[in-house]
Amino acid sequence: MRVVMFGYQTWGHRTLKALLDSEHDVVMVVTHPRSEHAYEKIWSDSVAELAEEHGVPVVIRNRPDDDELFQRLKEADPDIIVANNWRTWIPPRVYALPPHGTLNVHDSLLPKYAGFSPLIWALINGESEVGVTAHLMDEVLDAGDIVLQRAVAVGPKDTATDLFHKTVDLIAPVTIGALDRIASGETEFTRQDRSQASFFHKRAEEDIRIDWGWPAEDLERLVRAQSAPYPAAFTFHRGRRLEILAAVVSEGRYGGTPGRVFYREGDGVVIVAGADARTGRNHGLAVTRVRTEDGRELPATEYFRSMGGYLTDRP
């Protein structure tokens, strides 16, 4: 099939590579200009450079809603559009232009985790698996019929970076497998159960600020979810920003005021956390590694040379 690709960053790059390696013909690529947003600079392999290396025409757009682009799409005469990590709304006249419409490849197990940063949100929320879904685009974001979906398990120590590498390897088989189903003439696919749908927004600084009223289990997942190269989860100690780079749930139970620097346990320093309403347990977060405001990384036991004081969510 003749394919126009809409994509950005490493997800789009992997999708384009899969298409270029397949029997399908990529006739044009549409991608975003580079961004200086913190999350946009992560996993930032260039879709434009890969397309140009293979002689594929490239169009740069923030939004795909102008008449010039629409005319170029008509001239490209695609059988289908494939989109992955396209960051803005695609209007109906564009996604419905090809005979087979538009196939969107999304890094979650739809209908759950539509929207942005699904791997991070899924890890924070304690999901047991994540994955990749190829679905046909319609007027509702990430809500069209599912053509193909694959899942991978979330391990007890997985970081968001680990989940990225697990799921990015699913892009090629999911994308090409879905295209092959469509090319074979299939038209009936799996309708999404909208009663199971959830939608999440882009991550921002407020989403990585530690609230010590959370249960330790939730805070430990937040720290893993904000693994490098993502911005680290942070708190404040004596008015200065302190990033929490590694932590585990304490073995012992520690009650008291959330945020209290309380006890040494193994290689960590236990910070009192909120009680878990689901289990009634009250464990602490045993912080093992931190980064200071001036960029120094060090063991928490070296940073907290004495117990006492508090970590807070504001300076």
Side-chain angles (χ1 to χ4, degrees):
M1 289 197 295
R2 291 171 58 83
V3 178
V4 167
M5 161 77 189
F6 278 61
Y8 185 52
Q9 294 180 294
T10 298
W11 280 87
H13 187 277
R14 286 292 186 96
T15 304
L16 178 57
K17 187 177 187 306
L19 291 170
L20 292 169
D21 290 342
S22 74
E23 62 183 16
H24 302 289
D25 182 19
V26 182
V27 295
M28 191 168 81
V29 164
V30 185
T31 189
H32 294 301
R34 288 189 179 275
S35 169
E36 292 304 310
H37 186 283
Y39 277 84
E40 300 293 325
K41 293 190 289 186
I42 299 170
W43 316 119
S44 57
D45 295 299
S46 174
V47 171
E49 289 177 6
L50 179 60
E52 290 165 354
E53 288 170 8
H54 289 79
V56 178
V58 177
V59 178
I60 307 293
R61 288 290 190 277
N62 277 313
R63 297 183 178 276
D65 53 4
D66 59 276
D67 291 339
E68 179 187 350
L69 174 59
F70 186 65
Q71 183 60 38
R72 292 192 63 174
L73 288 169
K74 289 197 296 183
E75 292 170 357
D77 192 28
D79 297 304
I80 194 167
I81 293 171
V82 174
N84 192 343
N85 202 35
W86 183 260
R87 313 298 274 174
T88 57
W89 180 67
I90 298 177
R93 70 168 182 168
V94 171
Y95 70 68
L97 176 64
H100 295 289
T102 294
L103 181 76
N104 186 51
V105 183
H106 182 70
D107 51 333
S108 84
L109 296 175
L110 293 173
K112 294 182 178 180
Y113 296 94
F116 299 89
S117 305
L119 294 177
I120 296 177
W121 287 113
L123 180 53
I124 290 171
N125 291 336
E127 300 292 349
S128 62
E129 60 181 10
V130 293
V132 173
T133 302
H135 71 93
L136 294 172
M137 189 173 287
D138 62 16
E139 67 276 5
V140 180
L141 181 65
D142 294 334
D145 290 357
I146 294 171
V147 181
L148 196 63
Q149 186 175 78
R150 293 286 183 269
V152 291
V154 177
K157 295 184 179 180
D158 277 345
T159 65
T161 309
D162 296 326
L163 298 183
F164 170 85
H165 289 297
K166 285 184 177 183
T167 53
V168 80
D169 289 339
L170 298 177
I171 290 175
V174 168
T175 302
I176 304 307
L179 283 178
D180 290 346
R181 290 191 68 186
I182 294 168
S184 72
E186 289 188 59
T187 58
E188 297 296 323
F189 303 109
T190 304
R191 188 174 298 277
Q192 292 193 40
D193 180 357
R194 301 308 296 159
S195 70
Q196 300 299 311
S198 57
F199 183 89
F200 289 82
H201 60 71
K202 286 184 179 181
R203 302 286 293 172
E205 184 162 283
E206 286 299 314
D207 298 307
I208 61 176
R209 185 192 302 268
I210 293 175
D211 179 347
W212 292 102
W214 284 20
E217 291 84 353
D218 294 353
L219 291 176
E220 185 268 344
R221 290 197 304 272
L222 173 63
V223 171
R224 284 192 284 128
Q226 296 299 148
S227 59
Y230 299 105
F234 70 95
T235 185
F236 290 92
H237 182 236
R238 296 175 179 171
R240 294 177 178 268
R241 181 177 172 127
L242 183 69
E243 295 181 343
I244 308 300
L245 303 182
V248 296
V249 177
S250 68
E251 294 181 5
R253 294 176 64 178
Y254 302 91
T257 307
R260 176 78 172 180
V261 183
F262 188 60
Y263 193 80
R264 288 196 178 187
E265 183 182 282
D267 295 330
V269 174
V270 175
I271 314 300
V272 177
D276 189 333
R278 296 162 294 186
T279 65
R281 294 177 296 180
N282 188 342
H283 287 274
L285 186 72
V287 175
T288 58
R289 194 159 188 83
V290 300
R291 181 162 54 222
T292 61
E293 199 169 66
D294 60 5
R296 292 182 300 128
E297 292 188 20
L298 64 163
T301 52
E302 183 178 334
Y303 176 81
F304 296 105
R305 293 188 179 275
S306 61
M307 299 299 101
Y310 289 89
L311 299 183
T312 61
D313 64 354
R314 301 288 167 180

